[in-house]
Amino acid sequence: MEKANQNFLDLLEKLQAKTEQVKLGGGKKRIESEHEKGKLTARERIDYLVDRDSQFLEIGAFAADGMYEEEGGCPSAGVVTGIGYVSGRMCVIVANDATVKAGAWFPITAKKNLRAQEIAMENHLPIIYLVDSAGVFLPMQNEIFPDKEHFGRQFRNNAKMSAMGIVQVAAIMGSCVAGGAYLPIMSDEAMIVDKTGSIFLAGSYLVKAAIGETVDNETLGGATTHCEISGVTDNKYPNDPACLDAIRKIFATLGENPKAGFDRIEAKDAGISGDRLLEIFPLDRVKPYDMREVISGLVDGGQLDEYKKDYGKTLICGTARIEGWVVGIIANQRKIVKTAKGEMQMGGVIYSDSADKAARFIMNCNQRKIPLVFLQDVSGFMVGSKAEHGGIIKDGAKMVNAMANSVVPKFTIVVGNSYGAGNYAMCGKAYDPRLIYSWPTAQMAVMSGASAAKTLLQIKVASLKKTGKEISSEEENQLLEEITSKYNEELSPYYAAARLWVDGVIDPRETRKVISMGIEAANHAPITERFNVGVIQT
């Protein structure tokens, strides 16, 4: 590979290293401690549970990356989530990682669990909870306990999923305390591992403090207690593998539900290899490239049937297939294009004509029941008097309206820039993509680092001048460097992944798998809502 793309390989090495590190959870000593108790770790449980040689799509692997450092960190938010196959059935799996703060819930843990439940609900997928958690991380209880999107929302979702007919199976494989005890018991089936599993609203210490009763945890809420006396749990199992085998047996009996009916034929290889895809994608953010070449590396046979190819050229719209599934693609063109009137348009920018085209294409895909794929490398909408007089806000609103009201599933891949309102129009996290992943080359913010740093510098200098302080050019340059450094850190795809603005950071060569599994998941949920854009901006 050429030198420029050796840098891409360096990014992928960083991604691999971060992935391997996060898979260690709380570290090797904590893993050994779990093994000494006769327990498997969260990831070992998932590996045992899912079908051999099947794919597992992890969601939120980098959640909490770089966060809570004053508390010792919280790798992967202390819980492993993803989409996998159990006894041939696609499902969502949520497994508490007891090697990380005994599986305690940090604020981002709640957000990640709710994201997993959201995916199950949107796609009508059965969900498995492998419970092993000490409950809320008490020093941060005020950030996790009472609000709408906090800890309690998961139990509301338990109830809603039950009413929707979504199968929920829970295994208590370690601690399950306080409010967290409701999650497995609000599931359809609740099993427990003997001696290592326990469930109670209050542990022995709290019971002693609250009512003066002296009782050990096993008698209070162990497997024998709840399977033979209280009836809270259904069955007990001697160890983790036996319990996981029981889950596999349950999933082997699940009946089929109606499908959405998205079209799929036999898959073909992409038009270009994954390695070639890495070669053609430039790391230099100002270097233009033809997005059609990138699309060729993602779609079957490299074939894209373009919609209005010669109009609104800064957005590429067209139908294609990814691993056999038909998709409608909306992608930012990054090279400079020329209109029929001779106007030069900048790549990565959404103009009135491209927004208008995309809105119509999105409506067509809803009419034809075709899932949508957004490939983001967007700097934003065009600005300036010509664009404003031409109605760019109106045309942009039309695109956002059509996209936001889409009833077909949407999937977003951030390959490069994701700035400002461009993030919104191209189906950012706020617009309910079924899955949203970034390449290591992605950047997400209100504006680019350079633009933001200069703007923030001007504000800072003006503020200092108001206090009567003049700064030298050297001080100004130093201030610019500090602002740029901080802002660039926040542009990182890992910064976004840590906060679950995206579901993860992936090797570009994994993109086809992510989209294909996403559509397969979405196909479990028939479309029942009629597409309606409401008042369209004309």
Side-chain angles (χ1 to χ4, degrees), residues 267-277 293-303 321-324 508-509 511-513:
K268 295 180 181 177
D269 290 337
I272 59 174
S273 70
D275 288 343
R276 175 62 183 152
L277 181 60
E293 293 185 21
V294 173
I295 293 172
S296 181
L298 302 179
V299 303
D300 293 6
Q303 295 180 331
R321 290 188 183 271
I322 294 178
E323 294 199 356
R509 294 168 291 193
T511 307
R512 281 166 54 85
K513 165 195 162 183

Side-chain angles (χ1 to χ4, degrees), residues 22 59-67 74-78 108 112 497-500:
V22 85
I59 293 158
F62 297 115
D65 181 60
M67 297 169 65
C74 186
S76 216
I108 197 69
K112 184 172 176 179
R499 290 152 183 80
L500 292 172

Side-chain angles (χ1 to χ4, degrees), residues 83 90-92 119-121 123-127 161 166-167 521 524:
I83 300 173
M90 186 178 243
C91 61
V92 174
I119 289 169
M121 294 169 81
N123 298 295
H124 284 222
L125 290 178
I127 186 167
M161 280 191 275
I166 295 173
V167 172
H524 287 76

Side-chain angles (χ1 to χ4, degrees), residues 460-497:
K460 183 71 173 177
V461 170
S463 177
L464 289 170
K465 283 182 178 178
K466 283 182 181 178
T467 64
K469 184 177 180 182
E470 294 286 339
I471 64 172
S472 66
S473 57
E474 290 81 9
E475 290 173 321
E476 192 170 312
N477 287 334
Q478 183 181 348
L479 195 55
L480 179 61
E481 284 182 18
E482 291 172 2
I483 293 171
T484 301
S485 176
K486 180 179 183 298
Y487 198 88
N488 283 342
E489 178 187 339
E490 295 175 2
L491 284 171
S492 163
Y494 299 105
Y495 189 92

Side-chain angles (χ1 to χ4, degrees), residues 289-295 316 331-333 375 377 415:
Y289 66 90
D290 190 344
M291 179 61 88
R292 288 186 183 87
E293 293 185 21
V294 173
I295 293 172
I316 298 169
N332 302 108
Q333 174 60 284
L375 301 177
D377 193 350
V415 303

Side-chain angles (χ1 to χ4, degrees), residues 324-469:
W325 295 103
V326 67
V327 297
I329 293 176
I330 299 99
N332 302 108
Q333 174 60 284
R334 276 300 308 270
K335 69 177 185 179
I336 296 174
V337 299
K338 187 176 182 181
T339 69
K341 292 183 177 181
E343 178 190 357
M344 305 304 291
Q345 294 183 338
M346 293 182 288
V349 177
I350 301 174
Y351 290 76
S352 281
D353 54 356
S354 48
D356 189 67
K357 176 175 82 169
R360 177 68 178 271
F361 178 71
I362 290 167
M363 289 189 275
N364 282 354
C365 286
N366 275 270
Q367 189 83 331
R368 294 163 62 184
K369 203 156 78 171
I370 296 175
L372 294 167
V373 173
F374 293 82
L375 301 177
Q376 287 196 13
D377 193 350
V378 58
S379 304
F381 285 87
M382 189 56 191
V383 296
S385 59
K386 183 177 180 181
E388 299 290 3
H389 296 172
I392 185 65
I393 299 174
K394 165 174 61 69
D395 293 318
K398 188 187 306 180
M399 179 180 174
V400 171
N401 191 326
M403 180 274 301
N405 282 303
S406 287
V407 294
V408 294
K410 299 170 290 195
F411 303 90
T412 302
I413 307 293
V414 186
V415 303
N417 300 333
S418 180
Y419 298 150
N423 168 280
Y424 300 162
M426 293 293 292
C427 195
K429 182 66 183 290
Y431 292 86
D432 302 318
R434 296 290 176 96
L435 295 173
I436 175 170
Y437 280 83
S438 289
W439 287 4
T441 46
Q443 288 190 346
M444 189 180 298
V446 170
M447 63 182 75
S448 71
S451 298
K454 289 174 184 175
T455 303
L456 291 168
L457 177 66
Q458 290 172 18
I459 294 170
K460 183 71 173 177
V461 170
S463 177
L464 289 170
K465 283 182 178 178
K466 283 182 181 178
T467 64
K469 184 177 180 182

Side-chain angles (χ1 to χ4, degrees), residues 7 17 29 41 55 58 103 136 153 162 184 228 358 386 404 428 505 533:
N7 293 335
K29 286 186 177 179
T41 66
Q55 293 181 318
E58 186 163 354
V136 168
R153 185 76 171 182
S162 183
E228 299 181 19
K386 183 177 180 181
V505 183
V533 294

Side-chain angles (χ1 to χ4, degrees), residues 67-87:
M67 297 169 65
Y68 311 119
E69 290 181 352
E70 67 282 2
E71 305 291 349
C74 186
S76 216
V79 62
V80 184
T81 61
I83 300 173
Y85 301 84
V86 174
S87 298

